[in-house]
Amino acid sequence: MAISPKKTPISEQDPKVRAHNFKEVCLGYTPEEAMQEASRCLNCKNTPCVKGCPVSINIPGFIKQVKENNFQGAWEILSSSTALPAVCGRVCPQENQCEGPCTVGKIKNRATGEQNDSVAIGKLERFVADWKATQPKAPAAPIPYNGKGKVAVVGSGPSSLTVAGDLVKLGYKVKIFEALHKAGGVLMYGIPEFRLPKTVVQHEIGGLKELGVEIECNVIVGRTMTIEELRKEYDAVYIATGAGTPKFAGVPGTNLNGVFSASEYLTRINLMHGYEFPNFDTPTKKSKNVFVIGGGNVAMDAARSALRLGAESVTVVYRRSLEELPARIEEYHHAVEEGVKFEFLTAPMEYLGYEGDDKNKMGTLVGIKCIRMELGEPDESGRRRPVEKPGSEFVQECDTIIEAIGQSSNRVLLDAWPELNTTKRGYIVATEPEGATSVEGVYAGGDIVTGAATVILAMGAGKDAAKAIDEYLTKKAEAKK
Protein backbone atom coordinates (compact mmCIF):
# COMPACT_ATOMS: atom_id res chain seq x y z
CA MET A 1 0.00 0.00 0.00
CA ALA A 2 1.34 3.42 -0.97
CA ILE A 3 2.08 5.78 1.91
CA SER A 4 0.25 9.09 1.90
CA PRO A 5 2.87 11.81 1.26
CA LYS A 6 1.18 14.33 3.56
CA LYS A 7 0.39 14.23 7.26
CA THR A 8 -3.22 13.59 8.16
CA PRO A 9 -4.73 17.06 8.68
CA ILE A 10 -5.56 17.94 12.29
CA SER A 11 -8.40 20.19 13.40
CA GLU A 12 -7.65 23.60 14.89
CA GLN A 13 -9.68 26.54 16.09
CA ASP A 14 -10.26 29.16 13.42
CA PRO A 15 -7.54 31.87 13.79
CA LYS A 16 -10.08 34.70 13.91
CA VAL A 17 -11.88 32.98 16.77
CA ARG A 18 -8.93 31.66 18.77
CA ALA A 19 -7.13 35.02 18.75
CA HIS A 20 -9.77 36.13 21.26
CA ASN A 21 -9.85 33.16 23.63
CA PHE A 22 -7.42 31.05 25.66
CA LYS A 23 -8.90 27.69 24.65
CA GLU A 24 -6.54 25.15 23.11
CA VAL A 25 -5.68 25.90 19.48
CA CYS A 26 -5.12 22.32 18.29
CA LEU A 27 -8.14 20.04 18.75
CA GLY A 28 -6.34 16.72 18.28
CA TYR A 29 -6.93 13.64 16.14
CA THR A 30 -10.05 11.51 16.17
CA PRO A 31 -9.41 7.73 16.53
CA GLU A 32 -9.91 7.30 12.79
CA GLU A 33 -7.50 10.11 11.94
CA ALA A 34 -4.92 8.75 14.38
CA MET A 35 -5.08 5.26 12.81
CA GLN A 36 -4.81 6.82 9.35
CA GLU A 37 -1.70 8.78 10.35
CA ALA A 38 -0.20 5.76 12.14
CA SER A 39 -0.51 3.76 8.92
CA ARG A 40 2.11 6.07 7.36
CA CYS A 41 4.83 4.71 9.68
CA LEU A 42 7.27 2.26 8.04
CA ASN A 43 8.22 0.65 11.38
CA CYS A 44 11.91 1.08 10.48
CA LYS A 45 14.41 -1.39 11.91
CA ASN A 46 17.05 1.29 12.51
CA THR A 47 14.50 3.53 14.34
CA PRO A 48 15.98 7.00 13.64
CA CYS A 49 13.00 8.53 15.46
CA VAL A 50 13.93 6.76 18.71
CA LYS A 51 17.52 7.97 18.39
CA GLY A 52 16.18 11.52 18.08
CA CYS A 53 14.03 11.24 21.21
CA PRO A 54 15.77 12.38 24.43
CA VAL A 55 13.74 9.88 26.49
CA SER A 56 14.06 7.02 23.94
CA ILE A 57 10.36 6.21 23.54
CA ASN A 58 9.68 3.09 21.48
CA ILE A 59 8.03 5.22 18.79
CA PRO A 60 7.45 2.57 16.08
CA GLY A 61 6.08 0.26 18.78
CA PHE A 62 3.41 2.60 20.08
CA ILE A 63 2.49 3.83 16.59
CA LYS A 64 2.00 0.21 15.45
CA GLN A 65 -0.48 -0.27 18.28
CA VAL A 66 -2.37 2.87 17.23
CA LYS A 67 -2.52 1.60 13.66
CA GLU A 68 -4.02 -1.67 14.93
CA ASN A 69 -6.64 0.17 17.03
CA ASN A 70 -5.00 -1.01 20.26
CA PHE A 71 -4.82 2.30 22.09
CA GLN A 72 -4.30 0.67 25.49
CA GLY A 73 -1.29 -1.17 24.10
CA ALA A 74 0.04 2.10 22.71
CA TRP A 75 -0.39 3.73 26.13
CA GLU A 76 1.49 0.95 27.90
CA ILE A 77 4.47 1.41 25.56
CA LEU A 78 4.41 5.19 25.88
CA SER A 79 4.01 5.30 29.65
CA SER A 80 6.93 2.93 30.17
CA SER A 81 9.27 5.68 28.88
CA THR A 82 7.62 9.00 29.68
CA ALA A 83 5.65 10.44 32.59
CA LEU A 84 4.34 13.35 30.49
CA PRO A 85 3.09 12.11 27.09
CA ALA A 86 0.17 14.55 26.88
CA VAL A 87 2.57 17.42 27.59
CA CYS A 88 5.29 16.30 25.19
CA GLY A 89 2.77 15.64 22.44
CA ARG A 90 1.78 19.30 22.65
CA VAL A 91 4.90 21.35 23.30
CA CYS A 92 8.01 19.36 22.30
CA PRO A 93 9.88 20.42 19.14
CA GLN A 94 9.26 17.12 17.36
CA GLU A 95 10.31 18.64 14.05
CA ASN A 96 13.88 18.86 15.38
CA GLN A 97 13.90 15.59 17.32
CA CYS A 98 11.85 12.46 16.61
CA GLU A 99 10.18 13.72 13.41
CA GLY A 100 13.31 15.36 12.02
CA PRO A 101 15.09 12.08 11.14
CA CYS A 102 11.85 10.18 10.27
CA THR A 103 12.51 7.93 7.26
CA VAL A 104 9.13 8.73 5.69
CA GLY A 105 10.10 12.40 5.63
CA LYS A 106 13.30 11.58 3.73
CA ILE A 107 11.46 9.91 0.85
CA LYS A 108 10.50 11.88 -2.24
CA ASN A 109 7.05 11.48 -3.75
CA ARG A 110 7.41 9.74 -7.10
CA ALA A 111 4.50 11.61 -8.65
CA THR A 112 5.50 15.14 -7.64
CA GLY A 113 9.19 14.85 -6.73
CA GLU A 114 8.44 16.65 -3.45
CA GLN A 115 9.67 15.49 -0.07
CA ASN A 116 7.10 13.55 1.97
CA ASP A 117 5.96 14.83 5.35
CA SER A 118 7.39 13.03 8.36
CA VAL A 119 4.96 10.97 10.44
CA ALA A 120 3.11 13.20 12.95
CA ILE A 121 4.70 11.46 15.95
CA GLY A 122 3.92 14.25 18.41
CA LYS A 123 0.26 14.43 17.45
CA LEU A 124 -0.02 10.63 17.81
CA GLU A 125 1.62 10.76 21.24
CA ARG A 126 -0.87 13.41 22.29
CA PHE A 127 -3.76 11.35 20.93
CA VAL A 128 -2.81 8.26 22.95
CA ALA A 129 -2.38 10.28 26.17
CA ASP A 130 -5.67 12.12 25.66
CA TRP A 131 -7.46 8.85 24.89
CA LYS A 132 -6.14 7.33 28.12
CA ALA A 133 -7.36 10.33 30.12
CA THR A 134 -10.94 9.57 29.00
CA GLN A 135 -10.87 5.92 30.12
CA PRO A 136 -12.22 4.60 33.44
CA LYS A 137 -9.48 4.71 36.06
CA ALA A 138 -8.17 1.48 37.48
CA PRO A 139 -6.64 1.70 40.97
CA ALA A 140 -2.86 2.03 40.73
CA ALA A 141 -1.05 -1.03 41.99
CA PRO A 142 1.01 -0.11 45.07
CA ILE A 143 4.76 -0.22 44.51
CA PRO A 144 6.52 -1.79 47.49
CA TYR A 145 9.33 0.20 49.14
CA ASN A 146 12.73 -1.21 48.16
CA GLY A 147 14.35 -0.23 51.46
CA LYS A 148 17.19 1.64 49.73
CA GLY A 149 16.35 5.18 50.72
CA LYS A 150 14.38 8.38 50.34
CA VAL A 151 14.93 10.93 47.57
CA ALA A 152 14.10 14.63 47.70
CA VAL A 153 13.39 16.45 44.44
CA VAL A 154 13.67 20.25 44.46
CA GLY A 155 11.40 21.82 41.88
CA SER A 156 8.40 20.30 40.09
CA GLY A 157 8.98 20.96 36.41
CA PRO A 158 9.37 18.33 33.68
CA SER A 159 12.82 17.15 34.79
CA SER A 160 11.67 16.76 38.40
CA LEU A 161 8.47 14.95 37.45
CA THR A 162 10.45 12.54 35.28
CA VAL A 163 13.08 11.66 37.89
CA ALA A 164 10.37 11.27 40.53
CA GLY A 165 8.28 8.98 38.33
CA ASP A 166 11.21 6.77 37.38
CA LEU A 167 12.46 6.46 40.97
CA VAL A 168 9.09 5.73 42.53
CA LYS A 169 8.61 2.92 40.00
CA LEU A 170 11.90 1.46 41.27
CA GLY A 171 10.55 1.39 44.81
CA TYR A 172 12.07 4.56 46.28
CA LYS A 173 10.23 6.96 48.54
CA VAL A 174 10.19 10.25 46.63
CA LYS A 175 9.05 13.71 47.68
CA ILE A 176 8.95 16.81 45.49
CA PHE A 177 9.33 20.28 47.02
CA GLU A 178 7.86 23.16 45.00
CA ALA A 179 8.27 26.85 45.87
CA LEU A 180 5.04 27.97 44.16
CA HIS A 181 1.49 27.06 45.11
CA LYS A 182 0.99 24.66 42.17
CA ALA A 183 3.21 21.84 40.97
CA GLY A 184 4.34 21.76 37.35
CA GLY A 185 7.06 24.39 37.11
CA VAL A 186 7.38 25.99 33.68
CA LEU A 187 4.50 23.82 32.43
CA MET A 188 2.22 25.82 34.73
CA TYR A 189 3.70 29.32 34.79
CA GLY A 190 5.40 29.56 31.40
CA ILE A 191 3.26 27.94 28.70
CA PRO A 192 -0.16 29.46 27.93
CA GLU A 193 -3.44 27.61 28.20
CA PHE A 194 -4.00 27.75 24.43
CA ARG A 195 -0.87 25.64 23.92
CA LEU A 196 -0.96 23.49 27.05
CA PRO A 197 -4.17 23.34 29.12
CA LYS A 198 -3.38 23.25 32.83
CA THR A 199 -5.88 20.43 33.36
CA VAL A 200 -3.63 18.27 31.16
CA VAL A 201 -0.57 19.08 33.30
CA GLN A 202 -2.40 18.40 36.56
CA HIS A 203 -3.82 15.14 35.22
CA GLU A 204 -0.33 13.84 34.46
CA ILE A 205 0.93 15.02 37.86
CA GLY A 206 -2.03 13.21 39.40
CA GLY A 207 -0.82 10.00 37.77
CA LEU A 208 2.53 10.37 39.54
CA LYS A 209 0.80 10.95 42.87
CA GLU A 210 -1.14 7.74 42.37
CA LEU A 211 2.16 5.90 41.94
CA GLY A 212 3.26 7.24 45.33
CA VAL A 213 5.16 10.47 44.58
CA GLU A 214 4.58 13.02 47.36
CA ILE A 215 4.41 16.71 46.46
CA GLU A 216 4.62 19.61 48.91
CA CYS A 217 4.11 23.12 47.57
CA ASN A 218 4.98 26.50 49.11
CA VAL A 219 8.39 25.22 50.23
CA ILE A 220 11.47 27.27 49.36
CA VAL A 221 14.50 25.06 49.88
CA GLY A 222 17.25 27.28 51.22
CA ARG A 223 14.75 29.57 52.97
CA THR A 224 11.69 27.91 54.53
CA MET A 225 13.54 24.58 54.59
CA THR A 226 17.27 24.57 55.28
CA ILE A 227 19.82 22.53 53.38
CA GLU A 228 20.72 20.78 56.65
CA GLU A 229 17.11 19.68 57.17
CA LEU A 230 16.95 18.37 53.63
CA ARG A 231 20.20 16.38 53.84
CA LYS A 232 19.34 14.95 57.25
CA GLU A 233 16.04 13.47 56.10
CA TYR A 234 16.89 12.29 52.56
CA ASP A 235 19.50 9.89 51.20
CA ALA A 236 19.77 11.63 47.81
CA VAL A 237 18.67 14.94 46.34
CA TYR A 238 17.80 15.94 42.78
CA ILE A 239 17.83 19.67 41.97
CA ALA A 240 15.82 20.89 39.00
CA THR A 241 14.78 24.42 39.91
CA GLY A 242 14.88 25.63 36.32
CA ALA A 243 15.95 28.96 34.87
CA GLY A 244 13.13 31.27 35.77
CA THR A 245 14.95 34.50 36.59
CA PRO A 246 14.31 36.98 33.77
CA LYS A 247 17.05 38.62 31.76
CA PHE A 248 16.77 42.17 30.46
CA ALA A 249 18.54 43.65 27.45
CA GLY A 250 19.63 46.76 29.34
CA VAL A 251 17.88 49.10 26.91
CA PRO A 252 17.50 52.67 28.23
CA GLY A 253 13.97 53.03 29.61
CA THR A 254 13.68 49.46 30.92
CA ASN A 255 12.32 50.80 34.25
CA LEU A 256 9.37 52.58 32.64
CA ASN A 257 5.86 51.57 33.67
CA GLY A 258 4.71 49.28 30.84
CA VAL A 259 7.94 47.29 30.36
CA PHE A 260 7.67 43.65 31.49
CA SER A 261 9.78 40.54 31.49
CA ALA A 262 8.06 37.67 29.70
CA SER A 263 8.44 35.65 32.92
CA GLU A 264 6.30 38.06 34.93
CA TYR A 265 3.84 38.64 32.11
CA LEU A 266 3.21 34.95 31.45
CA THR A 267 3.21 33.92 35.12
CA ARG A 268 0.47 36.43 35.85
CA ILE A 269 -1.57 35.06 32.97
CA ASN A 270 -0.90 31.33 33.29
CA LEU A 271 -0.25 30.38 36.90
CA MET A 272 -2.29 33.19 38.46
CA HIS A 273 -5.18 33.11 35.94
CA GLY A 274 -4.79 36.77 35.00
CA TYR A 275 -6.68 36.12 31.75
CA GLU A 276 -9.76 35.27 33.83
CA PHE A 277 -9.79 38.56 35.79
CA PRO A 278 -12.02 39.51 37.66
CA ASN A 279 -13.01 35.91 38.42
CA PHE A 280 -9.44 35.61 39.72
CA ASP A 281 -7.72 38.38 41.66
CA THR A 282 -4.73 38.86 39.34
CA PRO A 283 -5.13 41.89 37.04
CA THR A 284 -3.28 42.15 33.74
CA LYS A 285 -2.36 45.33 31.88
CA LYS A 286 -4.87 46.54 29.30
CA SER A 287 -2.67 47.22 26.28
CA LYS A 288 -3.26 48.86 22.93
CA ASN A 289 0.08 48.60 21.09
CA VAL A 290 2.44 45.84 22.27
CA PHE A 291 6.03 45.15 21.24
CA VAL A 292 7.65 41.82 22.15
CA ILE A 293 11.45 41.63 22.08
CA GLY A 294 12.86 38.21 21.14
CA GLY A 295 12.22 35.34 18.75
CA GLY A 296 11.85 32.15 20.80
CA ASN A 297 8.80 30.18 21.89
CA VAL A 298 8.46 32.44 24.94
CA ALA A 299 8.22 35.47 22.68
CA MET A 300 5.52 33.75 20.62
CA ASP A 301 3.63 32.87 23.81
CA ALA A 302 3.81 36.44 25.10
CA ALA A 303 2.74 37.95 21.77
CA ARG A 304 -0.19 35.60 21.31
CA SER A 305 -1.27 36.09 24.91
CA ALA A 306 -1.22 39.89 24.54
CA LEU A 307 -3.45 39.57 21.49
CA ARG A 308 -5.93 37.46 23.45
CA LEU A 309 -5.97 40.01 26.26
CA GLY A 310 -7.34 42.60 23.84
CA ALA A 311 -4.32 44.40 22.33
CA GLU A 312 -5.13 46.12 19.05
CA SER A 313 -1.62 45.58 17.65
CA VAL A 314 1.15 43.14 18.65
CA THR A 315 4.59 43.24 17.01
CA VAL A 316 7.51 40.88 17.58
CA VAL A 317 10.92 42.50 17.17
CA TYR A 318 13.73 40.05 16.34
CA ARG A 319 17.28 41.08 15.49
CA ARG A 320 17.92 38.24 13.03
CA SER A 321 15.91 36.95 10.06
CA LEU A 322 13.08 34.41 9.86
CA GLU A 323 15.61 31.71 8.93
CA GLU A 324 17.31 32.09 12.34
CA LEU A 325 14.07 32.37 14.36
CA PRO A 326 14.47 29.94 17.31
CA ALA A 327 10.72 29.50 17.88
CA ARG A 328 8.99 26.39 16.61
CA ILE A 329 7.79 27.01 13.07
CA GLU A 330 4.31 25.86 14.12
CA GLU A 331 4.16 28.57 16.79
CA TYR A 332 5.34 31.21 14.30
CA HIS A 333 2.69 30.17 11.77
CA HIS A 334 -0.02 30.24 14.45
CA ALA A 335 1.07 33.72 15.52
CA VAL A 336 0.97 35.02 11.94
CA GLU A 337 -2.47 33.48 11.38
CA GLU A 338 -3.76 35.20 14.49
CA GLY A 339 -2.53 38.63 13.43
CA VAL A 340 0.83 39.07 15.18
CA LYS A 341 3.20 41.28 13.16
CA PHE A 342 6.94 40.68 12.83
CA GLU A 343 9.82 43.12 12.46
CA PHE A 344 12.82 40.99 11.49
CA LEU A 345 16.40 42.27 11.43
CA THR A 346 15.38 44.90 13.96
CA ALA A 347 16.61 45.67 17.49
CA PRO A 348 15.40 48.04 20.23
CA MET A 349 17.58 51.08 21.02
CA GLU A 350 15.50 52.91 23.62
CA TYR A 351 12.15 52.71 25.38
CA LEU A 352 10.54 56.15 25.39
CA GLY A 353 8.71 57.65 28.36
CA TYR A 354 6.03 60.33 28.63
CA GLU A 355 7.45 63.87 28.58
CA GLY A 356 4.33 66.02 29.03
CA ASP A 357 2.92 67.98 31.97
CA ASP A 358 0.54 65.34 33.37
CA LYS A 359 2.24 64.12 36.56
CA ASN A 360 0.09 60.97 36.57
CA LYS A 361 1.71 59.89 33.30
CA MET A 362 5.32 60.49 34.31
CA GLY A 363 7.44 57.36 34.02
CA THR A 364 4.96 55.75 31.65
CA LEU A 365 6.00 54.02 28.42
CA VAL A 366 4.78 55.73 25.25
CA GLY A 367 7.05 54.46 22.48
CA ILE A 368 10.00 52.42 21.27
CA LYS A 369 13.00 53.47 19.20
CA CYS A 370 14.46 50.69 17.00
CA ILE A 371 17.21 50.27 14.46
CA ARG A 372 17.44 48.00 11.42
CA MET A 373 20.07 45.26 11.38
CA GLU A 374 21.94 43.23 8.80
CA LEU A 375 23.67 39.89 9.30
CA GLY A 376 27.46 39.89 9.45
CA GLU A 377 29.97 37.15 10.26
CA PRO A 378 28.98 34.20 12.52
CA ASP A 379 29.37 34.76 16.29
CA GLU A 380 30.22 32.20 19.03
CA SER A 381 26.77 30.59 18.62
CA GLY A 382 27.51 29.83 14.97
CA ARG A 383 24.77 32.18 13.80
CA ARG A 384 25.52 35.31 11.76
CA ARG A 385 25.95 38.28 14.08
CA PRO A 386 23.41 41.11 13.68
CA VAL A 387 25.07 44.44 12.85
CA GLU A 388 23.36 47.82 13.07
CA LYS A 389 22.61 49.73 9.86
CA PRO A 390 23.55 53.39 10.50
CA GLY A 391 20.76 55.88 9.85
CA SER A 392 17.97 53.26 9.93
CA GLU A 393 16.47 54.27 13.27
CA PHE A 394 12.69 54.60 13.59
CA VAL A 395 10.16 55.24 16.38
CA GLN A 396 6.81 53.54 17.02
CA GLU A 397 4.11 54.30 19.58
CA CYS A 398 3.47 51.59 22.18
CA ASP A 399 2.16 51.25 25.72
CA THR A 400 3.54 47.78 26.50
CA ILE A 401 6.91 46.13 25.89
CA ILE A 402 7.59 42.50 26.83
CA GLU A 403 11.21 41.35 26.85
CA ALA A 404 11.55 37.66 26.01
CA ILE A 405 15.31 37.39 25.56
CA GLY A 406 16.07 34.51 27.92
CA GLN A 407 16.27 33.58 31.57
CA SER A 408 18.94 32.75 34.11
CA SER A 409 19.16 30.51 37.17
CA ASN A 410 17.26 31.11 40.39
CA ARG A 411 19.89 31.95 43.04
CA VAL A 412 17.89 31.22 46.23
CA LEU A 413 18.96 27.58 46.64
CA LEU A 414 22.41 28.11 45.13
CA ASP A 415 23.25 30.95 47.50
CA ALA A 416 22.20 28.78 50.43
CA TRP A 417 24.35 25.86 49.25
CA PRO A 418 27.85 27.21 48.52
CA GLU A 419 29.34 23.70 48.31
CA LEU A 420 27.61 23.24 44.95
CA ASN A 421 29.97 24.18 42.13
CA THR A 422 28.44 26.52 39.59
CA THR A 423 29.52 27.97 36.25
CA LYS A 424 30.33 31.62 35.60
CA ARG A 425 26.78 32.00 34.31
CA GLY A 426 25.33 30.68 37.55
CA TYR A 427 24.28 27.18 36.54
CA ILE A 428 25.07 24.02 38.51
CA VAL A 429 28.08 22.02 37.30
CA ALA A 430 26.96 18.41 36.80
CA THR A 431 28.42 15.39 35.04
CA GLU A 432 26.90 14.08 31.82
CA PRO A 433 24.72 12.16 31.55
CA GLU A 434 24.44 11.23 35.25
CA GLY A 435 23.86 14.72 36.63
CA ALA A 436 26.19 14.24 39.63
CA THR A 437 27.19 17.50 41.32
CA SER A 438 30.18 18.42 43.47
CA VAL A 439 28.26 17.26 46.56
CA GLU A 440 28.01 13.51 47.10
CA GLY A 441 24.46 12.20 46.75
CA VAL A 442 23.23 15.41 45.13
CA TYR A 443 22.27 15.42 41.46
CA ALA A 444 20.96 18.15 39.17
CA GLY A 445 19.43 18.43 35.73
CA GLY A 446 17.27 20.45 33.39
CA ASP A 447 17.56 24.20 32.90
CA ILE A 448 19.44 24.76 36.18
CA VAL A 449 22.34 22.88 34.53
CA THR A 450 21.95 23.62 30.82
CA GLY A 451 20.28 27.00 30.84
CA ALA A 452 16.85 27.44 29.26
CA ALA A 453 16.13 24.50 26.94
CA THR A 454 13.20 22.30 25.92
CA VAL A 455 10.78 20.26 28.04
CA ILE A 456 11.92 16.98 26.51
CA LEU A 457 15.62 17.67 27.08
CA ALA A 458 14.87 18.38 30.74
CA MET A 459 12.97 15.10 30.89
CA GLY A 460 15.92 13.28 29.33
CA ALA A 461 18.17 14.66 32.07
CA GLY A 462 15.69 13.42 34.65
CA LYS A 463 15.75 9.89 33.22
CA ASP A 464 19.55 9.79 33.21
CA ALA A 465 19.71 11.11 36.77
CA ALA A 466 17.16 8.55 37.98
CA LYS A 467 19.45 5.74 36.76
CA ALA A 468 22.46 7.34 38.44
CA ILE A 469 20.62 7.89 41.74
CA ASP A 470 19.40 4.29 41.70
CA GLU A 471 22.96 3.04 41.17
CA TYR A 472 24.28 5.33 43.93
CA LEU A 473 21.68 4.28 46.52
CA THR A 474 21.94 0.60 45.54
CA LYS A 475 25.71 0.67 46.18
CA LYS A 476 25.17 2.40 49.54
CA ALA A 477 22.55 -0.16 50.56
CA GLU A 478 24.83 -3.06 49.59
CA ALA A 479 27.75 -1.54 51.49
CA LYS A 480 25.67 -1.52 54.67
CA LYS A 481 24.98 -5.25 54.46
Side-chain angles (χ1 to χ4, degrees):
M1 185 179 75
I3 295 172
S4 173
K6 297 293 182 184
K7 290 179 179 177
T8 304
I10 196 163
S11 299
E12 295 178 346
Q13 276 199 76
D14 182 274
K16 293 180 181 178
V17 175
R18 72 183 190 234
H20 303 287
N21 68 59
F22 275 81
K23 296 177 183 177
E24 190 168 14
V25 169
C26 181
L27 304 179
Y29 279 143
T30 64
E32 295 74 22
E33 290 168 344
M35 288 188 284
Q36 179 182 335
E37 181 60 22
S39 70
R40 299 181 64 237
C41 178
L42 296 174
N43 201 16
C44 307
K45 289 183 179 180
N46 63 341
T47 62
C49 52
V50 178
K51 295 180 179 70
C53 174
V55 295
S56 302
I57 293 170
N58 179 2
I59 293 168
F62 97 79
I63 290 180
K64 183 175 185 289
Q65 297 304 314
V66 173
K67 177 183 175 181
E68 296 174 357
N69 198 19
N70 181 8
F71 303 147
Q72 177 61 30
W75 165 256
E76 289 169 2
I77 292 171
L78 259 183
S79 60
S80 68
S81 299
T82 172
L84 304 171
V87 170
C88 290
R90 287 170 163 83
V91 303
C92 285
Q94 292 97 5
E95 63 274 13
N96 298 326
Q97 294 174 334
C98 56
E99 293 180 18
C102 173
T103 303
V104 174
K106 305 294 184 187
I107 300 171
K108 285 190 176 181
N109 185 283
R110 290 181 180 178
T112 64
E114 295 180 355
Q115 206 88 10
N116 287 347
D117 288 345
S118 299
V119 176
I121 298 168
K123 298 294 190 289
L124 291 173
E125 180 179 12
R126 169 195 164 147
F127 166 78
V128 173
D130 287 356
W131 172 86
K132 182 62 178 177
T134 66
Q135 302 307 298
K137 275 192 174 182
I143 299 170
Y145 174 48
N146 62 17
K148 297 178 185 177
K150 297 165 65 178
V151 182
V153 179
V154 186
S156 67
S159 194
S160 297
L161 297 172
T162 299
V163 78
D166 281 12
L167 288 172
V168 81
K169 289 176 184 177
L170 292 171
Y172 291 96
K173 291 183 178 180
V174 184
K175 187 168 185 177
I176 292 174
F177 295 97
E178 167 56 47
L180 297 174
H181 64 280
K182 277 277 190 183
V186 70
L187 306 176
M188 290 298 293
Y189 70 75
I191 305 176
E193 187 80 9
F194 55 80
R195 265 214 305 144
L196 180 62
K198 304 312 161 213
T199 53
V200 169
V201 179
Q202 292 305 313
H203 181 271
E204 301 215 315
I205 290 174
L208 291 175
K209 288 181 178 179
E210 288 176 9
L211 289 175
V213 175
E214 291 185 67
I215 300 178
E216 185 176 350
C217 294
N218 300 308
V219 177
I220 304 174
V221 176
R223 291 280 178 87
T224 62
M225 171 185 262
T226 67
I227 304 304
E228 291 75 19
E229 289 171 330
L230 190 74
R231 295 309 309 273
K232 185 177 179 180
E233 187 174 351
Y234 294 93
D235 303 288
V237 177
Y238 183 68
I239 302 170
T241 49
T245 303
K247 289 181 181 177
F248 285 94
V251 174
T254 298
N255 292 330
L256 289 169
N257 183 15
V259 180
F260 297 88
S261 71
S263 296
E264 178 192 352
Y265 192 79
L266 291 171
T267 298
R268 280 178 168 273
I269 293 168
N270 301 329
L271 183 68
M272 301 169 73
H273 295 267
Y275 69 96
E276 295 184 84
F277 182 80
N279 295 330
F280 285 77
D281 293 334
T282 306
T284 53
K285 180 175 170 58
K286 298 295 182 185
S287 305
K288 184 177 180 181
N289 296 316
V290 178
F291 277 71
V292 179
I293 314 301
N297 289 327
V298 175
M300 301 304 113
D301 288 343
R304 296 170 69 195
S305 294
L307 206 62
R308 284 160 170 77
L309 289 175
E312 294 178 15
S313 172
V314 179
T315 304
V316 172
V317 173
Y318 181 55
R319 61 184 188 150
R320 290 185 168 94
S321 69
L322 174 59
E323 286 68 33
E324 288 83 26
L325 193 75
R328 293 186 68 190
I329 195 66
E330 179 180 67
E331 303 309 320
Y332 166 71
H333 286 155
H334 281 162
V336 171
E337 289 174 347
E338 291 163 10
V340 174
K341 304 169 191 171
F342 285 79
E343 288 280 2
F344 291 108
L345 290 169
T346 304
M349 295 183 72
E350 184 180 0
Y351 304 147
L352 308 174
Y354 175 76
E355 294 182 346
D357 298 325
D358 189 340
K359 292 183 179 180
N360 294 323
K361 294 181 181 179
M362 296 300 289
T364 299
L365 176 75
V366 296
I368 182 172
K369 182 179 181 181
C370 296
I371 188 167
R372 300 295 183 189
M373 314 290 283
E374 56 188 1
L375 295 179
E377 295 300 314
D379 60 17
E380 61 276 1
S381 72
R383 296 179 297 172
R384 294 174 65 192
R385 183 188 299 275
V387 180
E388 292 183 357
K389 294 176 70 175
S392 65
E393 299 89 342
F394 65 96
V395 172
Q396 293 280 348
E397 288 185 10
C398 67
D399 56 4
T400 303
I401 288 172
I402 306 166
E403 288 202 357
I405 60 166
Q407 292 147 327
S408 60
S409 61
N410 186 319
R411 295 293 314 178
V412 174
L413 181 143
L414 302 183
D415 289 343
W417 208 337
E419 294 83 6
L420 284 171
N421 287 346
T422 57
T423 67
K424 291 180 179 179
R425 298 176 62 198
Y427 299 108
I428 295 175
V429 175
T431 61
E432 292 184 10
E434 302 87 357
T437 72
S438 54
V439 178
E440 184 186 342
V442 178
Y443 296 76
D447 292 0
I448 192 63
V449 172
T450 61
T454 63
V455 168
I456 193 68
L457 286 175
M459 290 176 64
K463 288 193 79 67
D464 290 334
K467 294 176 187 174
I469 292 169
D470 176 41
E471 290 173 6
Y472 169 73
L473 292 177
T474 298
K475 287 178 182 177
K476 280 192 72 175
E478 289 173 351
K480 291 179 181 179
K481 292 180 180 178

